[in-house]
Amino acid sequence: MRETVSIHRIVAEARELFRDRGYEGASMRDLADRVGLRPQSLYTRFASKESLVRAVLAMTLDDALADLPDPATDWRGAWRTLIGRIAKTFETRERCVGLHLAYGVTARTPDAQDAVRAFFVRLRDAMAGILDAGKVSEPASVAADTLAQLEGATLWITTEGNMAPLRHAVERALRVADPEGKPA
Amino acid sequence: MRETVSIHRIVAEARELFRDRGYEGASMRDLADRVGLRPQSLYTRFASKESLVRAVLAMTLDDALADLPDPATDWRGAWRTLIGRIAKTFETRERCVGLHLAYGVTARTPDAQDAVRAFFVRLRDAMAGILDAGKVSEPASVAADTLAQLEGATLWITTEGNMAPLRHAVERALRVADPEGKPA
DNA sequence: ACGGTAGGCGAACGATCGTTCGTGAGTCAA
DNA sequence: TTGACTCACGAACGATCGTTCGCCTACCGT
């Protein structure tokens, strides 16, 4: 058996690079080093650096939405699980790939730009679907606001290592599904 | 009189570039083109690309805090003005320079990284000082949360052009200084 | 046994990056 | 008038970028 580098592995390492260094800052050579290949070999699997963006975000969305509790029977559980996953990623990785790419891709890489837009729209729609199952009013708007608050909190993690704003954002997010939780 | 390009002009254009393209994406050649110089001429005024970050953020902080109402006599006015300025910038420019740089600078440019950290700490402290004058509890924490929410809302502006999350964040921010404003 | 295919690499392409050097023209104080 | 200083540029440096080409080798179906 010949030892081969899996696509999953490449995408996972690309995600780390995009998250830490952004689209422009991440180089194909760095990525190749991480997976133990030469840069040219990456082009056997991916047509371009730009196409990696779509693959990275697809994997990230899958990770976030995999095996969630069924909103129809346990929407609160689905909400808590999803919020928890997002928050945990931000806490351990210190930033969000999606946000870095959202700021990092330009009109010069239109496919990457579209992939980023689609990623956030789908994530928001998934969140809104959960809230809708719980008959929360204005689910799309609440989902967008919630996601924005979680993303914004990563600012303090990267600059100061301060996790408090993220925790506050999580508390507010959970209160959406549990309004009578803790008033103070 | 010899026609000369002002430092202020260079920094202002650098700010646009950093905001739109990030630290790595902005090139000294692009900046030179914008101000009508050759790239080498920029080094008469700035020692390096990295040093531009500090200058850009210093100017941005000055713009935000210039001529605010005195918190000691009108803390609500100071708060409203500051929030309004930040929100207006996000709305017209579609993103935040600080956030793009926060994600974009790495340990390879330590001085830039420090400048970013200092920028946000000073902005938060200025906000906290206003809230403190209004005897709002936990001013530093509330200031950090408020700033995070405004920053996070820029995600939807860049990806979708959707201003609603920003407006919601502004409403929540203003409610800090006016809790009895609008309950719904 | 054999042909096709997939995965990988050496070499190298043109482009662009931040930056340095040497030079010259304009400006101002003495 | 002179000397120092400021501002700008032409030319070019080495480094790094994404990517392409040609070739080799190991595997798989037949």
Side-chain angles (χ1 to χ4, degrees), chain A residues 22-24 98-106 109, chain B residues 20-22 95 100:
Chain A
Y23 183 75
E24 307 251 14
L99 182 56
H100 207 160
L101 288 172
Y103 262 76
V105 300
T106 68
T109 52
Chain B
D20 291 344
R21 305 208 221 262
R95 336 160 85 110
H100 207 160

Side-chain angles (χ1 to χ4, degrees), chain A:
Chain A
M1 191 79 132
R2 186 151 63 146
E3 287 195 17
T4 256
V5 178
S6 74
I7 290 193
H8 185 277
R9 170 80 194 290
I10 296 174
V11 176
E13 294 289 350
R15 176 164 58 185
E16 299 292 311
L17 267 174
F18 282 148
R19 174 160 38 218
D20 290 346
R21 308 207 218 263
Y23 183 75
E24 307 251 14
S27 81
M28 298 298 271
R29 284 171 176 83
D30 285 339
L31 177 56
D33 284 346
R34 287 198 177 217
V35 299
L37 287 179
R38 315 251 57 185
Q40 324 89 295
S41 304
L42 297 171
Y43 290 86
T44 307
R45 330 292 191 76
F46 297 93
S48 64
K49 178 184 180 182
E50 183 177 7
S51 70
L52 274 168
V53 171
R54 187 158 243 121
V56 160
L57 294 178
M59 170 181 290
T60 302
L61 193 64
D62 282 350
D63 289 352
L65 302 181
D67 302 314
L68 278 189
D70 180 14
T73 62
D74 181 16
W75 72 275
R76 280 181 229 268
W79 182 255
R80 270 194 299 263
T81 305
L82 183 50
I83 299 296
R85 282 183 190 170
I86 295 172
K88 185 176 179 183
T89 305
F90 291 177
E91 213 162 312
T92 60
R93 311 292 177 155
E94 299 195 335
R95 338 159 82 109
C96 170
V97 220
L99 182 56
H100 207 160
L101 288 172
Y103 262 76
V105 300
T106 68
R108 291 192 286 213
T109 52
D111 187 72
Q113 208 169 28
D114 181 74
V116 171
R117 195 193 45 73
F119 168 76
F120 279 113
V121 167
R122 286 192 192 127
L123 183 52
R124 180 194 58 196
D125 287 353
M127 294 170 69
I130 296 172
L131 295 178
D132 195 52
K135 311 236 186 286
V136 174
S137 69
E138 299 194 85
S141 175
V142 172
D145 285 358
T146 300
L147 195 49
Q149 292 180 47
L150 293 169
E151 298 282 348
T154 64
L155 166 68
W156 295 110
I157 305 179
T158 40
T159 52
E160 277 200 309
N162 178 7
M163 301 289 179
L166 177 62
R167 301 222 177 89
H168 297 160
V170 169
E171 286 169 21
R172 284 193 301 271
L174 294 182
R175 222 169 292 156
V176 166
D178 225 337
E180 72 287 354
K182 304 176 183 178

Side-chain angles (χ1 to χ4, degrees), chain B residues 26-33 38-39 42-43 46 48-49 52:
Chain B
S27 80
M28 298 298 273
R29 283 171 176 83
D30 286 339
L31 177 57
D33 283 346
R38 316 250 61 187
L42 297 170
Y43 291 85
F46 297 94
S48 64
K49 179 185 179 182
L52 273 168

Side-chain angles (χ1 to χ4, degrees), chain B residues 66-140:
Chain B
D67 302 315
L68 278 188
D70 180 12
T73 63
D74 181 16
W75 72 274
R76 281 181 227 268
W79 182 256
R80 270 194 299 265
T81 306
L82 183 50
I83 299 296
R85 282 183 189 170
I86 296 172
K88 185 175 180 182
T89 305
F90 292 176
E91 212 161 314
T92 59
R93 311 292 177 154
E94 298 195 336
R95 336 160 85 110
C96 169
V97 221
L99 182 55
H100 207 160
L101 288 171
Y103 262 76
V105 300
T106 68
R108 290 194 286 214
T109 51
D111 187 72
Q113 209 170 28
D114 181 74
V116 171
R117 195 192 47 73
F119 168 76
F120 279 113
V121 167
R122 286 194 192 125
L123 183 52
R124 180 194 58 195
D125 287 353
M127 293 170 71
I130 296 173
L131 295 178
D132 195 53
K135 311 237 184 286
V136 174
S137 69
E138 299 193 86

